[in-house]
């Protein structure tokens, strides 16, 4: 197998073009070094002095020249071909190179007018980088054209593919660092091309930036053979092109030729697929590029007697002692002057006019492409009325329904109404999570072989299923960041797989909220089903409700957690989430047949309030209760209601109040979260001094954490998941964790004073009932009918 | 490129051998179906009746026949070749097949005597599976021979490689499901062969089980071309062998031939590498197998008019209505009888003697291999005295040291003393986390090209560095589960990448603790450096101390979290962790130059107690203080001491007590955690009613969560990370989060009553000091010298 390699003699660059692209690259490199090192003297009008240099050198040079090389060449191609392109920059700390390019092409000065094309603007550009009050060293939200911060390695390629879906004219150039390429999430992203439709989606052009080193080590891809590397990428379905060199002129020619070949090929693939699109799957062999150039290219080749350029030592700052070591200072000046700034910038500090002839103009600039500021192109979803999908209930807690199946019927209509801007992502769990109604109107998108026995597989569809939570999350993030909408459905326990990805996205949302030119994007919506209480059959390894704990550590401005107890509240909640902007919404809901508690109207009101007293289940007659039974989550709600039923039969004088919580954020004080209840309201619902038994879906500590500032906190006793479980039955699962109705009744007896002898007998009965339930389960392998079939007596 | 394919005519199986291996496979399949379906009538002595069938059918048939096929064939090879082999079973829900095989070869009956080779034993075997009080459907800790539960897809191959390191005679057969192969972590594991030394490590034989389907979808690897698949695996450095078929006899012959070829090749590679081992890197092209057989092979081919065998419908139970649908019941009986049980089991229910001739005996059985019960082969670490590495301090809080660098010098000696049983794992961060001293005695292990400019790279070494937290974690878990020791060092923020892997390992430890024949293994040790407070230069995206919150959700029996404030306490803590068994230990420590607070002797005593009053920093004279300043973590400790210094100068009459916490678990009640302090002790340290200002390394809510049951909880005011940060200076980071010394002094003024007018002035001074510090930083790009250079006045 051959790696495609172009013939250098047929290179497409004229001498003038080569000179221009090289000048542009030198300018970007100069501006990059300046950002890393300088506080002042940006044009080197005078010899460098220590006081011109930053006291803390925090930038990363190593990856920068390669990033700028690609940028300059892509600019040429955009202009020559009229491409609609964005640039996803994978390598961490690529910030200074990307900022340099956005400054050169004028977007940065437009958005940050004080950092303009002038000597003073250049001084500000340099000073602000990695400086207190300035900008980070990553390609963070502050950088125009970025949808991917980098730094947490592994997500560049999935973000790029997410951006390409449903953007048929877009090309996403994605530079993947060779360090990043070692990570699991990135390694799992190459096969995204199995899902990308050449007719209705755009194109991703992956560029593996093989500069050979990470922080302190060589990289795997740099040290395997050229044959193996090419074989790997062919195996992933690409046509790999190699550009390899360390002589700038030769590399310019070679890269230009390879890029021309790639864009020709992409145009050909698109035209071909679109001319004969007949519904059969086509998985074209898209091109990709392996770009092998030295790490820290054009920087100091040797410092203090050891090689730097082309080694891992070029990763951060090649010269570290510039303020104190005059040799280093001289080398820095020599290095910067090697780019011949006098040819690149005029006397005012602006790029010379010739340079500005390279990049395209207006929104054709990658840094100004509206797709990379997704809120600009975001269109609202057309949302059919969810009320039309509601479950008609015959009395509270008496009708059985499957919450996610009901949701699925509404999602089907959402898909029909939004064929160009909404997708559902799932790790092979859309059917399992009972959202299968969507397949009445769409399919799973898939470009590889489809067999006659397959179902709901097609080259174009709105459902993205792959057995990788990382890919689902990365694709969805890329899709949202480019102005579309989506929903990720997963098993609750395994959403922890993307904890770190959620972190980065939440931080991105938080940061971008402070940037006026970034427009709000659609929220990242999670539907977690197959949750902890219904993993009795999958066993202990599948039981973990802790994602919501993780989420709650992020800023209150950003995160929302909902636990709708039934189908109608789930519909109302999800409608709310799909309309929202700039949040992460986590919705936990059951998929199993379960009792339905609210009519559609009640559900709407209940969700609007976020929590509320269920009077139909309470016996306090609106007065101060003896005990509050609170619940959040479908299974805890069931157990609380069953306990309330027992209590009103067996202790008819006891005044019980049942409170259900949908919006977990309501539990916090209003000083902590915008959804928080004021203390007075909280005390009105939960009382100021009565025992509160709180049956919670997740780990009990979360409820304490949310309520510890409330007056009645010391009286709040929480039951939830406590890491007890195995393969058993649903009711045994709640018993193992002391969340069951019998245990809750025991808790009431233990905590409400003055219940008398009757209560002691009831307590013993509960102990016996637990024992009997356990025995029955062990013998029959299923739950006792009187437990499994309980419903609210009405 | 050709996929190696053996010539079927030269197949190595005699007719008798073929008949035997097929009979063994049929027996395993029979036992698998029995486990999934039957409560009774295990030998089908009478026609199947509905009451013989389990009420809830929870097993997974789809992957099972392939797993058993591999098992039977590996048995033949072990016996023929005297191999030392274990079997890592990647596909989730492979439990019934693996249990069937361990039962057949006799290990299961030895460990669980009631589940013996008899009709009654077989009945118990069937009944217990996925039944309350029974065993899970995964290859959980209960299954002898397992080191990998499966079910959370993606970690099989990294576990397999971890098991192979430093086990030169071991072969780890690793079946990877083709669904699992789509996940990022698995995709990133193929290149583990770049790290496996053919001389001093064992061998992993990956077997991609290409049965074509996941839960509800086809798989990527099944629908790309044979050429691309082979190209992919060659690109990953393997020699792929394809076994493809659906005729049992033909597949038996082909698989036997391919396995013989693989084991020949492995023997050749080992012999070759070991005969001429000369220190040069050798990366042999190890064999791997692609096994393409139908999903649910030998099960019902069609049910209710739709195809099942060879489709995704075979994933779980192919016949779901057996108790109510007499056709299904008849099909089940026909299916089970198709294995001809009468030929396989004698009248007592025991496997016929011929069958027992297939597997090897004793510890040669994969289910009895001691490597798969790591505690059996675990040898204690030889631990040099860490006290010899302590930092000599000249007064408390006056000497500067780098905690992790000091630890590195001890780890170097640990490595020297344990050249066969201890490894350090890190995602390219060992140098960055300042543990570089280890390279004085060892190298990073690496089998691909090594250039003259590389440092500390060698074919054999004790340090494993790859830019994938998933691989580091998976390798280490595999290494620990097979009875060795190790340490994983990572940036704090990015350890969230392995949240889900930690979950599974913690659950494995929890479950295996209840299994008497599983011997305790060494703890999983994390050293998190480059922590949240020292990511000022990397910015907001690198700031997250939430891993400890995640860890704290697991069982108290399993998890430990330590925050040593300086080098000597870090040494003492790590010595304790490396001696421990069956825990997950999380240690958070700084790598930057920082003040040292404890002498070696004090550090030992302090760590033994887990927390304590620092009298040298307190002004309460042993009496009841006016305020308690508590701290956990190196940076919070610094800020608390600086605040205490300010207070004793400016409010000399104020009685301040300084408390430092190393072992976070001490904060919990003793009813909650074995390390928990009794309430009386807690109150003695933290007082019952005085204001406590707690400066904490992580999110403040964790301290509330740990202390909410304490008498003085309402007086505990916590400062910690609150998701504020950017690229700035260290002191600006603590100011942004209100954890700085000045803010702490303000908190004291605000919370201690009766301080008088002097205090109000002090408060304003603190406000001004914060302002001045911020201004200085913005102007100079570094912290004010009086802040940065503060030390305890002694």
């Amino acid at each position: 197998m051959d790696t495609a390699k172009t013939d250098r003699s047929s290179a497409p660059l004229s001498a003038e073009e080569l000179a221009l692209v090289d000048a542009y690259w030198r300018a970007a490199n100069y501006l990059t070094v300046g950002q890393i090192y300088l506080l002042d003297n940006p044009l080197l009008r005078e010899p460098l002095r220590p006081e011109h240099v930053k006291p803390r050198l925090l930038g990363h040079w190593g990856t920068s020249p390669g990033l700028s090389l690609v940028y300059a060449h892509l600019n040429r191609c955009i202009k020559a071909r009229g491409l609609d392109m964005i640039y996803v920059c994978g390598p961490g700390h690529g910030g200074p190179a990307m900022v340099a390019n956005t400054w050169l092409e004028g977007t940065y000065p437009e958005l940050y007018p004080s950092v303009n094309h002038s000597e003073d603007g250049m001084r500000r550009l340099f000073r602000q980088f990695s400086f207190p009050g300035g900008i980070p060293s990553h390609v963070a939200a502050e950088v125009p054209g970025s949808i991917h911060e980098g730094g947490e390695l592994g997500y560049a390629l999935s973000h790029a593919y997410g951006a390409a879906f449903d953007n048929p004219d877009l090309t996403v150039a994605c530079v993947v660092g060779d360090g990043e390429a070692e990570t699991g999430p990135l390694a799992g992203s190459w096969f995204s091309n199995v899902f990308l439709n050449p007719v209705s989606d755009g194109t991703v052009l992956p560029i593996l930036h093989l500069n050979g080193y990470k922080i302190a080590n060589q990289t795997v891809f740099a040290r395997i053979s050229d044959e193996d590397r090419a074989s790997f990428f062919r195996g992933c379905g690409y046509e790999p092109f190699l550009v390899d060199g360390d002589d700038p002129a030769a590399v310019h020619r070679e890269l230009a030729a390879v890029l021309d070949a790639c864009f020709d090929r992409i145009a050909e693939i698109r035209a071909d697929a679109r001319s004969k699109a007949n519904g059969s799957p086509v998985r074209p062999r898209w091109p990709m590029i392996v770009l092998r150039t030295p790490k820290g290219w054009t920087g100091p080749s040797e410092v203090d007697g050891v090689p730097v350029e082309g080694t891992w030592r070029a990763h951060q700052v090649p010269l570290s002692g510039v303020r104190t070591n005059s040799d280093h200072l001289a080398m820095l000046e020599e290095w910067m002057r090697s780019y011949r700034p006098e040819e690149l910038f005029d006397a005012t500090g602006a790029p010379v006019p010739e340079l500005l002839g390279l990049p395209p103009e207006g929104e054709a600039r990658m840094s100004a492409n509206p797709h990379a500021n997704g809120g600009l192109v975001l269109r609202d979803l057309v949302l059919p009325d969810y009320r039309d999908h509601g479950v008609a209930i015959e009395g509270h807690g008496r009708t059985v329904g499957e919450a996610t199946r009901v949701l699925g019927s509404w999602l089907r209509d959402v898909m029909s109404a939004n064929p160009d801007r909404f997708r559902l992502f799932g790790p092979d769990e859309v059917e399992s999570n009972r959202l299968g109604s969507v397949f009445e109107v769409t399919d799973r998108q898939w470009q590889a072989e489809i067999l006659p026995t397959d179902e709901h597989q097609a080259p174009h569809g709105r459902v993205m299923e792959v057995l990788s939570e990382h890919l689902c999350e990365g694709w969805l993030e890329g899709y949202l960041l480019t102005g579309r909408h989506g929903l990720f459905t997963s098993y609750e326990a395994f959403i922890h797989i993307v904890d770190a990805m959620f972190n980065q996205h939440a931080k991105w949302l938080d940061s971008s909220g402070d940037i006026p030119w970034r427009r709000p994007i659609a929220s990242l919506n999670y539907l977690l089903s197959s949750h902890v209480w219904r993993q009795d059959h999958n066993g202990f390894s599948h039981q973990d409700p802790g994602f919501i704990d993780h989420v709650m550590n992020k800023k209150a401005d950003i995160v929302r957690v909902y636990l709708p107890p039934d189908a109608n509240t789930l519909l109302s909640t999800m409608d709310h989430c799909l309309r929202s902007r700039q949040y992460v919404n986590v919705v936990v809901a059951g998929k199993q047949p379960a009792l339905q508690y609210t009519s559609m109207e009640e559900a709407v009101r209940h969700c609007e309030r976020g929590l509320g007293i269920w009077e139909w289940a309470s016996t306090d007659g609106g007065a101060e209760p003896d005990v509050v039974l609170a619940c959040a989550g479908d299974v805890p709600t069931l157990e609380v209601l069953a306990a309330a039923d027992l209590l009103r039969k067996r202790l008819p004088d006891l005044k019980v109040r049942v409170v259900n919580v949908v919006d977990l954020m309501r539990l916090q004080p209003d000083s902590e979260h915008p959804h928080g209840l004021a203390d007075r309201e909280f005390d009105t619902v939960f009382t100021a001094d009565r025992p509160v038994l709180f049956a919670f879906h997740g780990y009990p500590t979360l409820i304490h954490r949310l309520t510890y500032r409330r007056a009645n906190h010391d009286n709040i006793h929480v039951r939830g998941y406590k890491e007890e479980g195995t393969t058993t039955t649903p009711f045994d699962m709640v018993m193992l964790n002391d969340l069951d109705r019998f245990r809750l009744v025991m808790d009431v007896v233990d905590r409400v004073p003055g219940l008398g002898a009757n209560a002691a007998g009831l307590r013993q009965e509960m102990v016996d009932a637990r024992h009997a339930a356990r025995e029955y389960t062990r013998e029959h392998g299923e739950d006792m009918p009187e437990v499994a079939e309980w419903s609210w007596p009405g």
Side-chain angles (χ1 to χ4, degrees), chain A:
Chain A
M1 175 189 313
D2 289 314
T3 292
K5 244 193 143 171
T6 56
D7 177 359
R8 293 188 189 199
S9 63
S10 70
L13 288 184
S14 68
E16 292 72 28
E17 284 175 320
L18 192 151
L20 178 57
V21 80
D22 187 66
Y24 202 87
W25 182 48
R26 284 187 282 120
N29 286 339
Y30 181 86
L31 295 169
T32 300
V33 183
Q35 287 178 78
I36 294 174
Y37 282 97
L38 298 192
L39 280 175
D40 207 345
N41 191 18
L43 288 167
L44 298 181
R45 288 191 196 273
E46 54 177 319
L48 266 188
R49 295 199 309 270
E51 59 267 34
H52 297 147
V53 177
K54 296 183 182 184
R56 301 171 82 215
L57 298 175
L58 302 176
H60 287 65
W61 166 244
T63 188
S64 295
L67 297 176
S68 291
L69 181 81
V70 170
Y71 210 114
H73 279 263
L74 291 176
N75 272 343
R76 186 188 69 87
C77 298
I78 292 170
K79 200 155 174 187
R81 294 164 182 264
L83 298 173
D84 184 10
M85 182 140 60
I86 63 172
Y87 186 145
V88 170
C89 170
H93 299 294
M98 300 302 281
V99 169
N101 280 283
T102 64
W103 189 81
L104 275 177
E105 63 190 7
T107 316
Y108 207 93
E110 288 163 23
L111 298 172
Y112 302 97
S114 71
V115 189
N116 55 14
H117 280 179
S118 71
E119 181 170 2
D120 190 53
M122 196 190 290
R123 183 183 296 109
R124 287 174 194 271
L125 177 74
F126 289 2
R127 183 186 175 91
Q128 70 177 9
F129 174 76
S130 269
F131 200 81
I135 64 168
S137 65
H138 294 280
V139 194
E142 288 87 343
V143 184
S146 177
I147 61 163
H148 174 84
E149 172 155 350
E152 183 165 7
L153 305 160
Y155 316 137
L157 199 53
S158 58
H159 284 165
Y161 274 96
F165 293 131
D166 294 324
N167 268 330
D169 298 324
L170 186 67
T171 301
V172 186
C174 178
V175 178
V176 176
D178 52 349
E180 171 168 28
E182 292 176 12
T183 67
L186 197 293
S189 301
W190 295 111
F191 280 114
S192 294
N193 59 22
V194 171
F195 301 85
L196 188 87
N197 184 304
V199 179
S200 49
D201 297 328
T203 302
V204 174
L205 175 64
I207 302 171
L208 179 67
H209 185 198
L210 203 67
N211 68 25
Y213 299 91
K214 299 169 287 195
I215 304 179
N217 279 280
Q218 68 287 359
T219 64
V220 166
F221 272 105
R223 298 294 174 87
I224 64 175
S225 69
D226 286 353
E227 291 69 30
D228 276 3
R229 200 186 314 108
S231 182
F232 177 87
F233 287 115
R234 285 194 71 81
C236 293
Y238 297 91
E239 179 182 6
F241 289 80
L242 177 64
V243 175
D244 184 355
D246 57 8
D247 169 48
V251 172
H252 283 313
R253 282 193 208 96
E254 206 176 322
L255 180 57
V258 161
L259 282 171
D260 278 348
C262 289
F263 290 120
D264 285 350
R265 187 81 194 99
I266 289 168
E268 212 175 280
I269 289 171
R270 284 182 175 178
D272 189 52
R274 292 169 195 189
S275 70
K276 62 185 184 202
N278 59 3
S280 301
V282 182
R283 179 169 169 243
R285 195 169 281 282
W286 296 102
M288 64 84 63
I289 298 173
V290 176
L291 173 64
R292 180 168 212 154
T293 55
K295 185 145 187 162
W297 195 18
T298 71
S301 64
E302 201 180 292
V303 179
D304 300 334
V306 295
V308 172
E309 185 191 20
T311 79
W312 79 94
R313 292 191 192 89
H315 180 71
Q316 294 189 292
V317 290
L319 299 161
S320 55
V322 191
R323 290 247 274 195
T324 50
N325 179 327
S326 59
D327 286 350
H328 283 202
L329 186 67
M331 286 174 75
L332 173 60
E333 181 163 344
E334 186 190 357
W335 173 16
M336 293 192 73
R337 291 202 190 275
S338 76
Y339 299 120
R340 307 195 296 279
E342 64 284 4
E343 299 174 8
L344 307 171
F345 307 102
D346 67 19
T348 71
V352 296
E354 296 82 342
L355 275 192
L356 297 179
L358 183 80
E361 290 176 0
E363 293 190 350
R365 294 171 298 179
M366 293 187 286
S367 55
N369 191 309
H371 293 294
N373 183 4
L376 282 179
V377 295
L378 181 70
R379 287 170 299 155
D380 287 348
L381 282 175
V382 177
L383 289 178
D385 194 337
Y386 64 90
R387 294 173 193 82
D388 299 341
H389 296 262
V391 177
I393 66 166
E394 294 176 15
H396 301 109
R398 302 190 56 75
T399 308
V400 169
E402 292 160 277
T404 56
R405 200 181 292 283
V406 172
L407 176 69
S409 81
W410 180 65
L411 286 179
R412 176 196 62 209
D413 292 359
V414 173
M415 291 203 163
S416 293
N418 301 276
D420 58 350
R421 73 192 84 161
F422 179 80
R423 283 183 186 257
L424 179 60
F425 299 80
D428 196 22
E429 290 163 10
V430 169
E431 275 285 9
S432 170
N433 283 334
R434 313 218 173 156
L435 302 173
S437 295
V438 298
F439 295 122
E440 295 167 22
V441 299
T442 190
D443 293 300
R444 302 176 179 98
Q445 184 159 310
W446 181 262
Q447 315 308 320
E449 189 186 15
I450 297 178
L451 299 180
T453 47
D454 293 337
E455 288 187 354
H456 311 308
Q457 305 288 345
H460 181 80
R462 314 304 305 157
V463 179
M464 310 301 294
E465 290 219 272
V466 61
L467 200 46
S468 164
E469 284 80 0
H470 291 112
L471 263 189
C472 292
E473 173 87 13
W475 286 346
L476 175 53
E477 289 179 2
Y479 198 65
L480 298 173
L481 287 161
T482 49
R484 281 79 62 77
H485 309 259
L487 172 62
F488 180 5
T489 175
S490 171
Y491 279 32
E492 184 182 38
F494 298 142
I495 198 66
H496 275 304
I497 290 172
V498 298
D499 276 3
M501 296 182 81
F502 154 80
N503 263 358
Q504 300 305 106
H505 190 75
K507 283 175 180 276
W508 177 282
L509 290 178
D510 187 18
S511 301
S512 60
D514 299 332
I515 300 169
W517 57 265
R518 285 248 173 225
R519 307 306 307 146
I521 60 171
S523 300
L524 170 56
N525 300 306
Y526 294 97
L527 172 66
L528 307 184
S529 195
S530 306
H531 63 54
V532 58
W533 300 108
R534 286 298 181 266
Q535 287 301 308
D536 45 281
H537 55 296
N538 275 326
F540 188 46
S541 62
H542 285 52
Q543 294 157 2
D544 187 305
F547 185 65
I548 53 181
D549 296 81
H550 177 63
V551 165
M552 296 289 288
N553 277 341
K554 295 297 144 198
K555 278 278 187 67
D557 304 346
I558 301 298
V559 296
R560 304 287 182 268
V561 178
Y562 301 97
L563 294 152
D566 65 2
N568 290 340
T569 49
L570 174 59
L571 282 170
S572 171
T573 299
M574 201 54 83
D575 178 80
H576 176 78
C577 292
L578 291 190
R579 290 176 193 278
S580 72
R581 297 285 181 271
Q582 210 71 6
Y583 296 147
V584 177
N585 296 307
V586 182
V587 181
V588 186
K591 69 182 189 183
Q592 304 289 354
L595 295 175
Q596 302 298 305
Y597 309 108
T598 58
S599 70
M600 198 70 247
E601 277 171 38
E602 289 168 337
V604 173
R605 276 204 310 279
H606 189 47
C607 290
E608 268 167 16
R609 284 194 299 247
L611 59 76
I613 299 168
W614 279 358
E615 280 158 20
W616 55 267
S618 303
T619 54
D620 59 352
E624 193 75 352
D626 299 315
V627 63
V628 176
L629 296 185
C631 48
D634 58 350
V635 168
T637 300
L638 171 68
E639 294 306 314
V640 153
L641 289 169
D645 181 27
L646 278 162
L647 287 168
R648 66 181 191 164
K649 284 175 181 147
R650 305 300 311 282
L651 299 173
D653 296 336
L654 185 72
K655 285 176 289 180
V656 175
R657 173 179 295 173
V658 173
V659 174
N660 181 269
V661 180
V662 176
D663 175 354
L664 216 51
M665 304 304 183
R666 298 292 271 166
L667 297 177
Q668 287 183 289
D670 49 359
S671 56
E672 297 287 308
H673 196 283
H675 288 195
L677 275 186
D679 279 335
R680 227 174 63 166
E681 287 179 84
F682 186 91
D683 295 347
T684 305
V685 174
F686 289 96
T687 80
D689 55 4
R690 300 305 155 96
V692 178
L693 292 173
F694 202 123
F696 179 51
H697 172 84
Y699 294 102
T701 52
L702 182 55
I703 299 300
H704 289 297
R705 169 178 164 181
L706 296 172
T707 60
Y708 78 92
R709 295 194 178 173
R710 301 297 192 177
N712 199 26
H713 174 249
D714 287 347
N715 279 321
I716 300 179
H717 178 65
V718 188
R719 295 292 185 183
Y721 184 64
K722 51 181 196 178
E723 286 286 326
E724 294 288 349
T726 178
T727 305
T728 184
T729 60
F731 192 69
D732 199 39
M733 261 303 290
V734 293
M735 280 206 296
L736 284 169
N737 290 281
D738 290 334
L739 183 78
D740 59 285
R741 56 198 71 177
F742 305 132
R743 179 76 235 187
L744 293 174
V745 170
M746 289 161 64
D747 285 340
V748 169
V749 171
D750 292 345
R751 280 161 197 275
V752 179
L755 291 178
N758 196 8
L762 176 60
R763 193 185 194 289
Q764 185 56 47
E765 269 180 59
M766 295 297 103
V767 172
D768 296 343
R770 283 165 60 88
H771 185 72
R774 174 71 43 83
E775 289 299 299
Y776 185 95
T777 298
R778 292 288 169 102
E779 190 182 338
H780 298 274
E782 55 188 349
D783 286 324
M784 287 199 297
E786 54 266 49
V787 166
E789 292 160 20
W790 176 88
S791 67
W792 186 252

